[in-house]
Amino acid sequence: MSENAPIFPTVEFRRRIKALQSEMARDGLDAALLTTPADVFYTTGFLTRFWESPARPWFVVVPAAGDPIAVIPTIGAALMGRCWITDIRTWDAPDPVDDGVSLLADTLTDLVPTSGRIGIPMGLESHLRMPIADFLRLQGRIAPRQIVDGTRAICRVREIKSEAEIAKIRASCAVADAAFARVPEFVRPGVPLSQVFRDFQVALLQEGADWVSYVAGGAGPGGYGDVISPADSRPLRAGDVLMLDTGAVRDGYFCDFDRNFAIGRAADEVRRAHAALYAATDVALAELRPGMLARDAHRIMSDALQRQGAVAGAGRLGHGLGLNLTEWPSFTPLDTTELRAGMVLTLEPGVEIAAGRILVHEENIVLRSDGPELLSRRAPVELPEIMQ
Amino acid sequence: MSENAPIFPTVEFRRRIKALQSEMARDGLDAALLTTPADVFYTTGFLTRFWESPARPWFVVVPAAGDPIAVIPTIGAALMGRCWITDIRTWDAPDPVDDGVSLLADTLTDLVPTSGRIGIPMGLESHLRMPIADFLRLQGRIAPRQIVDGTRAICRVREIKSEAEIAKIRASCAVADAAFARVPEFVRPGVPLSQVFRDFQVALLQEGADWVSYVAGGAGPGGYGDVISPADSRPLRAGDVLMLDTGAVRDGYFCDFDRNFAIGRAADEVRRAHAALYAATDVALAELRPGMLARDAHRIMSDALQRQGAVAGAGRLGHGLGLNLTEWPSFTPLDTTELRAGMVLTLEPGVEIAAGRILVHEENIVLRSDGPELLSRRAPVELPEIMQ
């Protein structure tokens, strides 16, 4: 981040708020109440790792018209004061008697008519980052105003990335591209997976990540067992397939893609699986268009895998990406979200090589009117082999 | 983490569950429903960075007697299967129609009598990591069983660390000690703060952190403005005071302490502030005892600062620590939690040097029956000066 420049100019935030208010109006919402790091950053530019502490709730209220209001712990006043919004109300948190509830209730009752509706994200992939007991207290304090489901409006706006946001995600992808290119520097037979994870995080930081919110992966003979376990200290061996996956963060925006490496010569079945994943990704890169549904993306990739004689793994085959490591929609057979131009998405086909051995492959794209544009550098056609 | 060994033996988890069930019985709870990374790790040993994805909820049900039940997305089955618990129920998430609600409701209705009470953490510093809409659906599905406040039982148990947990936190502190010792290697006048933050994270990883969930800090002439802002690219200058603060994670456990460095010669007022913080910490190290209240710790440190002629900064002067960067209790004038032996805590006095310029100082301790035992290596008496 540059010395005094905010990550985005105020015009970017005004555009976002206007879009939110337009969707809120469509749903009859008189205000939106936001509590999560991503929603607060999206509306105000307030970016901090301090969210890691669960001690304090943070609130942003987006009115039906006008600028957002921050209702936050005093410890955040200086940082929020450097953001674009000007109405910042603080209390000394944590307060075991009244941890911001009165201040928030007063803010909402001033802003919203008694017959009014306040939307919060309460649907799929959401959570409310405040104590439930305080939420119930808040409901009582602001009645007869209602708190209702505002998920649609938030998703609808955040799903479409501006060019400024796409540039940020592209920059995060470039950090990971550079770090993946350095994997052969620190991966060889005999190195424990736990050391590989550390070295990969170091490489991501050295290549420009502000921080590394997510690294996962796996390694095993002819494939790995799962993709979410922390690293163990088992040394890599010839015959292993190593996968590294990352959510590196730069200026608050994530990348999320993985790369595979064979330790020594890759077995034929592994090469075939890798080729099938590569081909399925190519098909998605060629065929995805705005107007399709999320489930169409799932079908396109699973059909392509099947044509290659591969068995698609369970689970989703891609998802949204941006301020969170994963966002809506999800490429599952059940997700009927319409794909729209400006969505940043992962293409993430996976195959089962044998029982308990899988291979996954992931790229990041932005969907344009004429199809996907890659944000990650396309993985090599041939699975890289690390011999040494 | 070693090749196949879990982070803790099963006996550690059985002790935790027994303690939880004892507190649950006291509060008349027939089950506890847990949803956060810390609570799930605490009860099952399930450790993953995959929580970074908000796409899927995860549930652990602790019955009044017997082992916990995991109700989780299929993608976590392999990892949970390597934990000590055996009853693992899965669904394919994310599912826009029924994202685990039926499976969780069935689990709870089988386990809890119709007149029963299910506790969830809903008090200070808690949140429910599932969509509110699904929570409301769940309440409907399990009625007339009630979901009630289970915060006390969870806090009461998690607040007291076992020797095995204390050893983990001590190991995380040792990682940060080693990384702080290397600060003079990469800090000098002219280096941008953003580069210092990256290098410090690299040092933490190289010294043994599994990952770095939190780094913050600040730098400014004669003190810094706040302690939660991300790094800007302003180069360090002679006369600055630099503060680095970290939550490095090893085996799932956090440290949380900071260190200060003068760039060039420290001004007299900065040295006086540092001496006051050092002395206030010494007083707390000498005087804190089990049986005191959290607010007594606040009073002890703010009185000590006042005796030094310093102005205590606003906000809390310490807090719990362990599976989260910050845990209960909070050293504020309002927190009446009783301090007990086995609590791992931060001592975190802060002073205001001038308007908008503060200095903070932090150590990690475990409270023993005869007083605090340091887990971090005590900061040097004299503020270190980086001249070069």
Side-chain angles (χ1 to χ4, degrees):
Chain A
M1 280 156 272
S2 56
E3 183 153 354
N4 290 305
I7 292 177
F8 295 108
T10 298
V11 63
E12 169 79 8
F13 293 107
R14 292 206 182 278
R15 184 198 58 73
R16 295 176 182 184
I17 298 301
K18 200 174 152 190
L20 263 176
Q21 288 169 335
S22 164
E23 296 294 339
M24 285 161 56
R26 191 177 140 185
D27 293 345
L29 301 178
D30 300 284
L33 170 61
L34 307 174
T35 64
T36 63
D39 285 339
V40 170
F41 176 51
Y42 187 73
T43 49
T44 66
F46 182 82
L47 180 64
T48 173
R49 297 186 81 179
F50 199 59
W51 293 98
E52 188 65 38
S53 166
R56 302 170 184 87
W58 303 73
F59 307 108
V60 167
V61 178
V62 181
D67 294 347
I69 301 164
V71 181
I72 60 171
T74 311
I75 197 168
L79 180 58
M80 189 65 88
R82 293 196 295 276
C83 298
W84 75 283
I85 66 168
T86 53
D87 193 344
I88 300 166
R89 307 175 186 186
T90 62
W91 83 98
D92 287 335
D95 180 332
V97 179
D98 180 359
D99 209 26
V101 172
S102 293
L103 190 62
L104 178 60
D106 290 348
T107 301
L108 289 170
T109 51
D110 282 354
L111 209 64
V112 176
T114 51
S115 62
R117 291 152 41 95
I118 297 152
I120 64 169
M122 54 167 77
L124 203 68
E125 309 200 17
S126 80
H127 74 273
L128 182 71
R129 194 186 174 282
M130 69 180 290
I132 289 286
D134 282 349
F135 178 67
L136 299 174
R137 239 170 252 140
L138 179 72
Q139 281 187 311
R141 286 287 300 272
I142 64 174
R145 295 163 192 83
Q146 282 186 292
I147 295 184
V148 301
D149 193 347
T151 314
R152 193 204 67 85
I154 312 280
C155 292
R156 187 89 188 156
V157 174
R158 273 191 46 199
E159 274 174 359
I160 304 300
K161 269 63 180 180
S162 69
E163 291 305 321
E165 291 186 281
I166 292 166
K168 296 294 183 194
I169 301 169
R170 187 182 285 114
S172 286
C173 288
V175 167
D177 281 332
F180 278 126
R182 288 178 50 194
V183 165
E185 294 175 18
F186 51 81
V187 167
R188 67 190 68 83
V191 177
L193 187 60
S194 50
Q195 187 59 46
V196 170
F197 273 38
R198 286 201 179 93
D199 289 341
F200 182 54
Q201 292 177 88
V202 167
L204 287 161
L205 289 161
Q206 289 173 339
E207 296 301 334
D210 294 329
W211 55 79
V212 182
S213 287
Y214 186 68
V215 157
Y224 25 84
D226 78 306
V227 296
I228 71 165
S229 293
D232 58 29
S233 61
R234 174 185 172 279
L236 295 174
R237 295 167 192 149
D240 281 356
V241 181
L242 165 70
M243 184 275 289
L244 290 170
D245 188 8
T246 188
V249 178
R250 193 177 161 93
D251 284 351
Y253 280 79
F254 278 85
C255 63
D256 176 18
F257 63 99
D258 64 35
R259 289 296 178 254
N260 292 281
F261 304 87
I263 309 301
R265 289 264 168 256
D268 283 350
E269 59 183 359
V270 172
R271 295 160 65 93
R272 273 197 303 272
H274 186 265
L277 292 168
Y278 196 92
T281 306
D282 268 355
V283 172
L285 286 170
E287 295 187 6
L288 275 193
R289 288 293 180 281
M292 291 178 172
L293 308 186
R295 68 181 179 197
D296 296 328
H298 183 274
R299 183 183 41 75
I300 284 171
M301 283 185 274
S302 44
D303 286 359
L305 288 173
Q306 204 164 22
R307 283 196 302 273
Q308 300 278 329
V311 180
R316 58 183 179 174
L317 303 184
H319 54 77
L321 167 69
L323 293 98
N324 288 118
L325 176 68
T326 75
E327 299 182 357
W328 346 260
S330 291
F331 295 165
T332 70
L334 297 172
D335 193 320
T336 56
T337 307
E338 185 188 342
L339 303 185
R340 291 176 293 150
M343 281 186 169
V344 171
L345 301 159
T346 70
L347 305 177
E348 191 174 5
V351 295
E352 195 174 71
I353 300 177
R357 282 195 293 141
I358 60 174
L359 200 71
V360 295
H361 183 95
E362 193 170 15
E363 301 285 4
N364 295 162
I365 63 158
V366 54
L367 189 59
R368 303 294 193 182
S369 58
D370 59 348
E373 174 192 335
L374 275 166
L375 297 176
S376 49
R377 189 191 301 155
R378 188 79 172 94
V381 183
E382 295 289 333
L383 180 65
E385 295 176 336
I386 297 179
M387 307 305 293
Q388 190 175 5
Chain B
M1 282 156 270
S2 56
E3 181 152 355
N4 290 304
I7 292 177
F8 296 110
T10 297
V11 63
E12 168 79 8
F13 293 106
R14 291 205 181 279
R15 183 197 59 72
R16 295 176 183 184
I17 297 302
K18 201 175 152 188
L20 264 177
Q21 288 169 334
S22 164
E23 296 293 339
M24 286 160 56
R26 193 177 137 182
D27 293 344
L29 301 178
D30 300 285
L33 171 61
L34 306 174
T35 64
T36 63
D39 285 340
V40 170
F41 176 51
Y42 188 73
T43 49
T44 66
F46 182 82
L47 179 65
T48 173
R49 296 185 82 180
F50 198 60
W51 293 98
E52 189 64 38
S53 165
R56 303 171 183 86
W58 305 73
F59 307 108
V60 167
V61 177
V62 181
D67 293 347
I69 300 164
V71 182
I72 60 170
T74 311
I75 197 169
L79 180 57
M80 189 65 88
R82 293 197 295 278
C83 298
W84 75 283
I85 66 167
T86 53
D87 193 343
I88 300 166
R89 307 175 188 187
T90 63
W91 83 97
D92 287 336
D95 181 331
V97 180
D98 180 0
D99 209 26
V101 172
S102 293
L103 190 61
L104 179 58
D106 290 348
T107 301
L108 289 169
T109 50
D110 282 353
L111 210 62
V112 175
T114 50
S115 61
R117 290 152 42 94
I118 297 151
I120 64 169
M122 52 167 78
L124 202 68
E125 308 200 19
S126 80
H127 74 273
L128 182 71
R129 193 186 176 282
M130 70 181 290
I132 289 285
D134 281 350
F135 177 67
L136 299 175
R137 240 170 251 140
L138 179 73
Q139 282 187 312
R141 286 286 301 270
I142 64 174
R145 295 164 192 82
Q146 283 186 292
I147 294 184
V148 301
D149 193 346
T151 313
R152 194 203 67 84
I154 311 281
C155 292
R156 186 90 188 156
V157 173
R158 273 190 47 199
E159 274 175 357
I160 304 300
K161 269 62 178 179
S162 69
E163 291 305 320
E165 291 184 283
I166 293 166
K168 295 295 182 193
I169 301 169
R170 187 182 284 114
S172 286
C173 288
V175 167
D177 281 331
F180 279 125
R182 288 178 50 194
V183 165
E185 294 175 18
F186 52 81
V187 167
R188 68 190 68 84
V191 177
L193 187 61
S194 51
Q195 187 58 45
V196 171
F197 273 38
R198 286 201 179 93
D199 289 341
F200 182 53
Q201 292 177 87
V202 167
L204 288 162
L205 289 161
Q206 289 173 339
E207 296 301 334
D210 294 328
W211 56 79
V212 182
S213 287
Y214 186 68
V215 157
Y224 25 85
D226 79 305
V227 296
I228 72 166
S229 293
D232 57 29
S233 61
R234 173 184 173 280
L236 295 175
R237 294 167 192 148
D240 281 356
V241 181
L242 166 70
M243 185 275 288
L244 291 170
D245 187 8
T246 187
V249 178
R250 193 176 161 94
D251 285 350
Y253 280 79
F254 278 86
C255 62
D256 176 19
F257 62 99
D258 64 35
R259 290 293 177 259
N260 292 282
F261 305 87
I263 309 300
R265 289 265 168 254
D268 283 349
E269 59 182 359
V270 172
R271 294 160 66 94
R272 273 197 303 273
H274 187 264
L277 291 168
Y278 196 93
T281 305
D282 268 354
V283 171
L285 286 172
E287 294 186 6
L288 274 193
R289 289 291 181 281
M292 290 177 171
L293 307 186
R295 67 180 180 199
D296 297 328
H298 184 274
R299 182 183 40 74
I300 284 171
M301 282 185 275
S302 44
D303 286 358
L305 288 174
Q306 205 164 20
R307 284 196 303 271
Q308 301 278 328
V311 180
R316 58 182 179 174
L317 304 185
H319 53 78
L321 167 68
L323 292 98
N324 288 117
L325 176 67
T326 75
E327 299 182 357
W328 344 261
S330 291
F331 296 164
T332 69
L334 297 172
D335 194 319
T336 56
T337 306
E338 185 188 342
L339 303 186
R340 290 178 292 151
M343 281 185 169
V344 171
L345 300 159
T346 69
L347 304 177
E348 191 174 5
V351 296
E352 196 174 70
I353 300 177
R357 281 195 293 142
I358 59 173
L359 200 72
V360 295
H361 183 95
E362 193 171 16
E363 301 285 5
N364 295 163
I365 63 158
V366 53
L367 188 60
R368 301 296 192 178
S369 58
D370 59 348
E373 174 191 335
L374 275 166
L375 297 177
S376 48
R377 189 192 302 156
R378 189 81 174 92
V381 182
E382 296 289 332
L383 181 65
E385 295 177 337
I386 296 177
M387 307 304 292
Q388 193 175 3

